[in-house]
Amino acid sequence: MMRRSWLVLLVFWLGAAGCASTVNTRPLPLSTDNPELVGAAEGAEDAESAERLRNLPAATHLERGATALRQGSLPIAKLHFSMAVAKDPELIDAYLGLGHTSFREGQLAAAKAAFAKVLEKDAEHVPALLALGTVFRHEGSYEEALTHLRRGSALQPDNPLLLTEMAQACEGLGQDAEAEAYYRQVITLTPRVAGAYNNLGFNLLLQEKYPEAVRVLEQGLSLAPDNRRLMNNLALAYALHGDARRALQLFEQSLGKAAAYNNLGYLLMVQGFFKDAELALNRALESNPVYYVRARENLDQVRYRAGEGRSLFD
């Protein structure tokens, strides 16, 4: 469990995991009577333009909401989806759009309410089951996530998005072997998608299956040679498998020399190779003595624990 914790922490620091967002549980307005929403619309600055906005049909609001969501204009997307729902309360895609908008804003309670509304109208709506499962996974409710995701997968057993979400929920529960089976299904379904290999490779790292992780991540990198996330995870796999030199090459290609030596030093440290960790961290400082504060912090830890070490690198 300890190894799993520091491994996830390192990958998070490398940028392979997304930053957590603040959850805002304020209710989502679903009415055109909200003047703040109407005033936020595409440059509506007077009563006449606001009136024109109100007169648009629900289908136009739905189309504009989808466009705004794709462009990342979340307040505009929320406005149009809300107005579409107000004009046609049976418009499932508008609720779905509201849910995705709320999720992107970090409003998880509002997102769940919107997706649940879709399922009230169509209990077998697979995109809503997928989206609701994803929201529950993001808030750490893994069992609840799997309930919805498995309902969706029963309807679409070859849906790679559902399989990936189920795998990640299983990992949240510590069920790494079950997650591995799902990830392997995804690769079978999408053999040219590099991210599928990255997901399986990192899962194998969590299970300490380092040689296999190296093989899988190499396959992924061959499909996307410039993918830094794959590069970092492959470097991690090489380091944990005992190939420090190859790990250093990949880290340097992805992150630069100072960060490469720092990462390698950290990995050597947590594996107990303190003398080699000190060497790597000193090289990180030589590469960037002013900026690279993190290497100094890691070096302090190494020196505190010195004397216990084994030899591996250089």
Side-chain angles (χ1 to χ4, degrees):
M1 181 62 69
M2 183 177 296
R3 179 178 288 271
R4 180 190 182 97
S5 298
W6 67 251
L7 183 58
V8 173
L9 179 63
L10 177 66
V11 173
F12 181 91
W13 181 75
L14 287 175
C19 295
S21 59
T22 303
V23 175
N24 184 337
T25 57
R26 291 178 295 175
L28 183 68
L30 297 177
S31 168
T32 58
D33 294 333
N34 188 318
E36 183 179 337
L37 278 179
V38 173
E42 304 171 314
E45 297 176 353
D46 52 41
E48 183 180 352
S49 56
E51 186 62 26
R52 286 199 301 270
L53 184 70
R54 288 192 182 93
N55 289 336
L56 291 174
T60 301
H61 282 301
L62 184 60
E63 181 182 348
R64 293 188 181 187
T67 299
L69 182 59
R70 284 195 302 271
Q71 295 173 344
S73 301
L74 301 184
I76 301 301
K78 179 184 287 186
L79 168 78
H80 284 295
F81 288 134
S82 296
M83 297 185 84
V85 165
K87 288 177 180 288
D88 183 357
E90 299 304 312
L91 198 56
I92 282 181
D93 285 346
Y95 287 107
L96 197 65
L98 279 170
H100 285 299
T101 303
S102 297
F103 181 65
R104 293 267 297 273
E105 291 179 327
Q107 298 182 357
L108 301 191
K112 286 189 289 186
F115 295 136
K117 194 73 174 177
V118 175
L119 294 172
E120 283 178 23
K121 299 177 182 299
D122 180 0
E124 296 187 346
H125 196 281
V126 173
L129 290 167
L130 170 61
L132 192 54
T134 301
V135 176
F136 277 113
R137 181 180 67 79
H138 272 262
E139 72 176 14
S141 302
Y142 302 116
E143 294 282 7
E144 188 74 20
L146 283 169
T147 297
H148 297 288
L149 295 168
R150 283 172 174 153
R151 279 176 57 197
S153 188
L155 296 165
Q156 292 184 7
D158 291 335
N159 185 318
L161 296 177
L162 282 164
L163 291 167
T164 299
E165 279 294 329
M166 287 193 295
Q168 292 177 350
C170 286
E171 285 178 336
L173 292 169
Q175 299 170 358
D176 295 331
E178 187 174 350
E180 179 186 344
Y182 287 133
Y183 285 136
R184 290 190 182 279
Q185 283 182 259
V186 175
I187 286 178
T188 299
L189 293 166
T190 59
R192 302 297 300 171
V193 175
Y197 294 89
N198 183 68
N199 289 338
L200 175 59
F202 187 68
N203 171 271
L204 294 168
L205 285 178
L206 293 176
Q207 296 186 72
E208 302 184 21
K209 298 179 179 180
Y210 304 134
E212 195 171 357
V214 167
R215 287 194 296 273
V216 168
L217 292 166
E218 285 280 17
Q219 284 181 276
L221 196 61
S222 71
L223 294 171
D226 297 325
N227 187 307
R228 289 181 59 186
R229 183 173 298 186
L230 270 162
M231 241 180 258
N232 290 336
N233 283 344
L234 181 56
L236 191 56
Y238 271 117
L240 294 173
H241 186 38
D243 191 340
R245 295 184 186 280
R246 180 63 178 138
L248 180 63
Q249 290 171 355
L250 286 162
F251 275 139
E252 187 168 358
Q253 184 179 348
S254 172
L255 302 167
K257 191 171 184 178
Y261 274 113
N262 174 69
N263 290 350
L264 183 60
Y266 175 79
L267 287 165
L268 292 168
M269 176 181 70
V270 297
Q271 292 178 89
F273 298 107
F274 299 119
K275 294 178 182 178
D276 298 311
E278 183 172 6
L279 174 62
L281 291 167
N282 276 320
R283 289 183 180 175
L285 290 171
E286 290 168 8
S287 301
N288 198 334
V290 175
Y291 170 73
Y292 222 73
V293 177
R294 193 179 298 269
R296 292 184 184 278
E297 295 171 350
N298 287 334
L299 188 56
D300 287 343
Q301 291 188 56
V302 168
R303 287 172 175 164
Y304 178 76
R305 300 167 68 180
E308 313 166 26
R310 299 172 287 166
S311 181
L312 174 70
F313 178 71
D314 207 355

